[in-house]
Amino acid sequence: MRASALVRGVIDLLLTVVFAVVLVTGIGLYLAPSGRIADTIGWTFLGMDKDTLTNVHTYFGFVMAGLVSIHLAIGLKSMWVMLKSAFRGSRLKVAAAFVIPLLLLAAGYQAFATYVVEEEEESTDYTYEDYSYEDNTTVYITGTMMKYYTFEQLAQEFNVPVTDLLEQLKERGIEASANDTLAEIEYEYDLDREEFKAMLEEIITELRGE
């Protein structure tokens, strides 16, 4: 397909702009907390929340795909000529030109697959169960509690004073208020969820005198 220099220039300019947007939103999504923690703590990147970043990234990704298709259609003949010329030269360079993009694609796919799996795991719906904690000597904090409960709700759930719970956390170097969610503190202090959960269960067990 023949195209004027103006058309080629406009396509290249649009590709550059779209690439910049996809790159920035991609970095934002990579840095975003997993699952619903981002919603819980009101996380944003350049003024955009995680849902907005996802929508912008997806939309401009499709735009980039269309522009790349046009760019390839316009420059297909030139690309073929350059490839034939390269094959007459160093085969090592030709091999590298094919292998490196394939490796980048594989790495990108792996990162995407990991991201999708995390999102599916975090978006799983949990059902609330009625536990009789007054009669049950075992303190067990569910995944739902770790994601959505405030310390006030957690204390009420296990029938312990929230002030004592917060004081015990403070002694362990964690400052929190009754209205803070467990997810917020987990993210703020970069805590491992299972370790934080075990710590809370231990504190509540001690407060209940068990």
Side-chain angles (χ1 to χ4, degrees):
M1 180 187 296
R2 284 193 164 187
S4 65
L6 177 61
V7 172
R8 289 174 181 267
V10 170
I11 295 296
D12 288 344
L13 177 61
L14 290 175
L15 268 175
T16 302
V17 173
V18 172
F19 170 75
V21 174
V22 171
L23 177 63
V24 171
T25 54
I27 293 173
L29 289 172
Y30 179 78
L31 297 175
S34 61
R36 295 174 180 172
I37 293 180
D39 293 332
T40 303
I41 65 176
W43 182 90
T44 59
F45 181 79
L46 298 180
M48 295 181 285
D49 59 22
K50 193 172 183 180
D51 288 338
T52 302
L53 280 173
T54 301
N55 292 334
V56 172
H57 187 77
T58 302
Y59 173 75
F60 277 88
F62 282 118
V63 173
M64 175 179 278
L67 290 172
V68 168
S69 299
I70 297 173
H71 187 273
L72 289 175
I74 291 174
L76 186 61
K77 185 175 180 180
S78 299
M79 181 179 68
W80 179 245
V81 171
M82 287 187 290
L83 285 174
K84 287 198 299 184
S85 175
F87 273 113
R88 297 193 190 99
S90 172
R91 293 185 178 181
L92 180 61
K93 291 181 179 179
V94 174
F98 281 100
V99 171
I100 292 176
L102 288 176
L103 291 175
L104 291 174
L105 285 173
Y109 173 78
Q110 182 63 34
F112 174 76
T114 302
Y115 173 78
V116 170
V117 169
E118 288 181 353
E119 286 297 299
E120 289 178 350
E121 290 178 350
E122 293 293 342
S123 63
T124 302
D125 290 328
Y126 293 90
T127 57
Y128 290 84
E129 299 183 29
D130 184 16
Y131 293 99
S132 298
Y133 290 111
E134 291 79 3
D135 302 326
N136 190 348
T137 58
T138 302
V139 176
Y140 179 71
I141 300 176
T142 67
T144 299
M145 296 175 187
M146 292 300 297
K147 288 182 180 180
Y148 305 115
Y149 272 33
T150 64
F151 287 96
E152 180 70 41
Q153 291 172 317
L154 186 68
Q156 291 176 358
E157 189 75 34
F158 291 99
N159 195 27
V160 296
V162 66
T163 52
D164 292 349
L165 174 60
L166 296 176
E167 184 63 30
Q168 289 290 326
L169 284 173
K170 187 175 181 180
E171 291 179 3
R172 290 167 170 80
I174 299 175
E175 298 257 0
S177 67
N179 294 324
D180 287 337
T181 65
L182 307 185
E184 288 175 329
I185 298 303
E186 176 191 332
Y187 179 74
E188 181 180 346
Y189 285 88
D190 194 22
L191 301 171
D192 178 82
R193 174 163 294 183
E194 290 303 315
E195 292 180 0
F196 186 36
K197 175 176 172 289
M199 180 195 300
L200 291 170
E201 289 173 345
E202 179 184 349
I203 292 173
I204 292 171
T205 300
E206 292 176 359
L207 292 176
R208 294 174 67 186
E210 298 172 355

